[in-house]
Amino acid sequence: AHEEKIMLACDYPELDLHRSQHKQLVDKVLAFQHQFLDGGQRITKDVMHFLKYWLESHILKEDMAFGDFARADDKQELISSIC
């Protein structure tokens, strides 16, 4: 939510996509949690694959893309005022 607040203040053009990706993450993690608590899910290759994908795809690409956007548009002062 904090990351999205910063993106909104910076008029980040990919904010809607980013929000959608965050919602997908939360939905998937909650599904894993529900399955785990019901005794039907363990830490499997599917869980590990999903977490690896999230790290490689979202954090290393999407979050870094926002960093590039913020630096290119000189948004550091704005971001500092929010944080």
Side-chain angles (χ1 to χ4, degrees):
H2 186 68
E3 177 187 50
E4 293 172 7
K5 180 179 175 182
I6 292 170
M7 290 177 171
L8 179 63
C10 292
D11 295 321
Y12 187 50
E14 300 297 324
L15 176 58
D16 288 339
L17 174 63
H18 209 85
R19 281 183 173 151
S20 173
Q21 291 170 343
H22 283 179
K23 183 179 180 335
Q24 289 173 2
L25 167 69
V26 169
D27 291 348
K28 188 76 167 174
V29 169
L30 288 175
F32 283 137
Q33 179 187 33
H34 181 70
Q35 291 171 356
F36 180 79
L37 293 175
D38 285 347
Q41 178 76 24
R42 292 193 272 165
I43 304 299
T44 64
K45 287 183 182 182
D46 289 340
V47 175
M48 296 304 292
H49 176 74
F50 172 75
L51 294 174
K52 181 178 184 243
Y53 166 79
W54 184 259
L55 175 64
E56 292 176 350
S57 177
H58 185 81
I59 296 172
L60 295 178
K61 292 179 184 171
E62 303 298 330
D63 288 347
M64 293 299 200
F66 173 68
D68 293 342
F69 168 82
R71 281 187 296 278
D73 286 354
D74 199 28
K75 306 262 187 204
Q76 292 87 355
E77 189 173 320
L78 174 62
I79 293 169
S80 294
S81 71
I82 295 169
C83 295

